[in-house]
Amino acid sequence: MREAIRLSVENVKNGGGPFGAVIARNGEIVATGVNRVTADCDSTAHAEVNAIRAACKALGRFELSGCEIYTSCEPCPMCLGAIYWAHLDRMYYGNDKNDAARIGFDDAFIYKEISLSPLQRRLVSLRLLPEEAAKAFSDWEGKEDKTRY
C-alpha cells in the first residue's frame, strides 16, 4: 500500500492525477500504474487500469487470479469493473470515494446513472440493429475452441 501511495504522490509532482496502484502476487510486486489521463490524452488511463494492463503483460495472461491490487484511492466504477474482469483476489485502498469527491473526483453521478435504465440515463442510448449484432454472439456461442473469460 505504501508503494501505491508513494506512486500517487510522485505522480502529482510529475503533473499527473493523485492516483497510484500496485498489483502483487505472493508478496511481490508484479506491476504498477499511475493516473495518465491528461498526460496520455486517454480518459481510461487510470492507475488501476494501467496497473492491470502492465500486470497482464508481465504475467502473459488476461486474468489476474492469485494477485491483489493496492490502490491509493477507492476505485471509480470503470476501474472497479476492470478489477472484477481481471479476477483479482483482493483489493485494498487508501482514500475513499468521499475523499476523492472532496478534491474534485466525484463519481457519484456514474453510480447513479448505472442504476437507471438506458432510456433514463443522461447519456442518450438507443439500441440499433440487434438482429445483425446477434450474429457475433451466435458465432461465439457455437465456437468450439473459444477461450472463456
Side-chain angles (χ1 to χ4, degrees):
M1 179 55 84
R2 286 190 178 95
E3 180 62 7
I5 293 167
R6 186 194 70 74
L7 288 166
S8 70
V9 171
E10 188 69 24
N11 203 46
V12 171
K13 292 177 187 172
N14 292 328
F19 305 99
V22 170
I23 294 180
R25 181 175 66 173
N26 300 324
E28 298 292 322
I29 293 176
V30 173
T32 64
V34 294
N35 181 285
R36 303 274 308 156
V37 170
T38 57
D40 291 353
C41 295
D42 179 353
S43 57
T44 67
H46 291 201
E48 297 89 344
V49 170
N50 287 334
I52 289 168
R53 289 173 179 160
C56 287
K57 189 173 185 175
L59 295 174
R61 57 189 220 219
F62 60 82
E63 61 85 30
L64 298 172
S65 60
C67 298
E68 46 200 26
I69 188 166
Y70 298 82
T71 180
S72 63
C73 185
E74 183 177 4
C76 74
M78 175 185 72
C79 293
L80 185 58
I83 289 165
Y84 275 105
W85 276 113
H87 300 283
L88 287 151
D89 290 355
R90 285 205 164 92
M91 175 179 72
Y92 304 95
Y93 58 91
N95 296 306
D96 69 15
K97 62 185 174 186
N98 298 313
D99 299 323
R102 277 193 290 280
I103 64 164
F105 296 93
D106 191 356
D107 299 323
F109 77 97
I110 299 173
Y111 285 105
K112 182 178 179 184
E113 288 283 307
I114 289 170
S115 70
L116 299 173
S117 74
L119 293 175
Q120 294 176 308
R121 294 179 186 154
R122 211 173 60 181
L123 177 66
V124 176
S125 303
L126 301 171
R127 189 172 183 193
L128 297 176
L129 305 174
E131 296 83 12
E132 292 179 36
K135 175 155 180 29
F137 279 22
S138 176
D139 291 352
W140 174 260
E141 192 174 39
K143 187 173 174 64
E144 298 281 332
D145 61 342
K146 64 185 162 222
T147 302
R148 295 189 182 275
Y149 56 95

